[in-house]
Amino acid sequence: MAVNVEGEMTEESQGFPNIIELNVGGRHFSTTHLTLTKHQDTMLGTMFSGKFPCIHDKDGRYFIDADGESFEHILRYLRLNELPPVSLMEKVYKDAVYFGLNDLIHELELQPSIMAKLMRDKFYSRLDGFPGALNEILHQAGNPEIMHKSYPSTTVVVSALESEHKPKSEEFDVNHVCVCAKSTKEADVKLKPWNQFAEVGAEEYVRALKSNLEERGFVVVYHHIGNCSYSCTLPPQGRSSSHRKQNCATLFFALVFHWTKM
């Protein structure tokens, strides 16, 4: 029986039975209509408000296209305000966002694992072109020809400007090909000379790429392998009769993927 505003028991609530049978991603749950509509401003509250048609499976259960394992903990939170185990917090957090469970989202965002991930994601979002750079690196790392020659590890060479580079002379060729002085090799992936490098630093950017790759499960190390070999001789300045040089500010890093340590 459901309870109406006067505190009386009714057979159904807004057209729904008091006991709701659910099929969530293939897992079956039984709960009350009151539990599902505990927070009206959520996806569940809207689904079971009676304002929209619901989908049923072949056995008549209300069907929700979501992860059943996560939903078990979402249901426990709705019933008991109980948070999921630490090992599942990130997974449940994603579904809490999906269902619009703002109270659960807020509580999970105060947990160390979720807070750390949010801070990392916020930092990554400050790095222009970060997703594209990751995809280029993974494309190079997974190149069958490279892997065939270098297995059990693959090295991807990345180049980046430390800061915005302004030539001091017309003699400086801004269109020169950057080649690492120590290896006479061009970069496999060239990061653009974004202004943010003045704030973040090229090496910090590459470390962020490495950290993200590790979060995905890759075993990868990196190191600075040198600077671009190009330089330009500048004319004497003032009373000085000696010539000066301007070096290219491009740095080269190696990201080494180890496939046998996965």
Side-chain angles (χ1 to χ4, degrees):
M1 304 291 283
V3 182
N4 63 21
V5 291
E6 286 80 23
E8 299 172 346
M9 305 301 288
T10 60
E11 289 295 333
E12 294 187 345
S13 178
Q14 298 170 310
F16 290 94
N18 185 40
I19 304 299
I20 303 288
E21 299 293 334
L22 299 171
N23 176 347
V24 184
R27 289 190 59 178
H28 301 158
F29 299 91
S30 295
T31 187
T32 67
H33 182 266
L34 288 175
T35 296
L36 294 172
T37 58
K38 184 177 181 179
H39 302 284
Q40 297 289 330
D41 58 346
T42 66
M43 178 178 168
L44 292 172
T46 301
M47 285 180 64
F48 293 95
S49 66
K51 298 177 182 178
F52 305 96
C54 292
I55 302 173
H56 294 80
D57 68 8
K58 61 182 178 62
D59 297 315
R61 300 183 183 89
Y62 293 95
F63 180 76
I64 298 176
D65 190 14
D67 183 81
E69 183 181 27
S70 292
F71 192 79
E72 176 183 349
H73 297 284
I74 284 173
L75 201 54
R76 288 186 69 83
Y77 178 79
L78 291 174
R79 290 167 173 163
L80 307 169
N81 288 329
E82 182 178 309
L83 295 180
V86 173
S87 61
L88 292 176
M89 279 187 175
E90 186 173 339
K91 185 177 183 180
V92 175
Y93 176 77
K94 291 177 181 177
D95 274 22
V97 172
Y98 174 70
F99 286 114
L101 292 162
N102 292 325
D103 289 350
L104 177 55
I105 291 169
H106 177 70
E107 288 200 52
L108 288 175
E109 286 180 347
L110 296 178
Q111 303 304 309
S113 59
I114 302 298
M115 186 176 290
K117 184 181 186 308
L118 292 174
M119 292 298 289
R120 289 195 301 271
D121 290 345
K122 186 175 182 180
F123 175 71
Y124 296 152
S125 70
R126 291 170 48 203
L127 306 176
D128 295 339
F130 192 78
L134 275 171
N135 287 337
E136 282 193 66
I137 289 168
L138 290 171
H139 176 75
Q140 288 294 327
N143 186 319
E145 293 183 6
I146 297 175
M147 291 185 71
H148 176 71
K149 295 176 182 178
S150 63
Y151 186 85
S153 65
T154 302
T155 299
V156 179
V157 176
V158 178
S159 67
L161 277 174
E162 181 64 44
S163 60
E164 188 176 1
H165 197 58
K166 296 181 180 179
K168 299 176 182 178
S169 167
E170 293 181 357
E171 300 298 321
F172 189 94
D173 182 8
V174 295
N175 296 315
H176 71 272
V177 176
C178 287
V179 177
C180 181
K182 291 187 178 180
S183 67
T184 65
K185 176 178 173 58
E186 290 186 51
D188 299 309
V189 177
K190 300 174 183 178
L191 304 181
K192 297 178 182 179
W194 296 301
N195 291 335
Q196 80 212 0
F197 282 164
E199 174 190 350
V200 175
E203 187 160 1
E204 189 174 3
Y205 191 103
V206 176
R207 282 204 304 268
L209 290 168
K210 172 182 176 291
S211 295
N212 190 282
L213 290 166
E214 288 176 332
E215 289 171 27
R216 297 173 181 225
F218 292 99
V219 177
V220 58
V221 297
Y222 89 99
H223 57 276
H224 175 214
I225 56 175
N227 295 20
C228 175
S229 61
Y230 177 81
S231 65
C232 172
T233 301
L234 303 177
Q237 187 176 45
R239 296 182 179 179
S240 173
S241 59
S242 61
H243 289 271
R244 297 171 296 121
K245 279 190 175 183
Q246 181 179 14
N247 297 314
C248 177
T250 299
L251 307 179
F252 283 75
F253 302 88
L255 286 167
V256 184
F257 291 77
H258 294 279
W259 306 116
T260 58
K261 298 178 182 179
M262 304 295 285

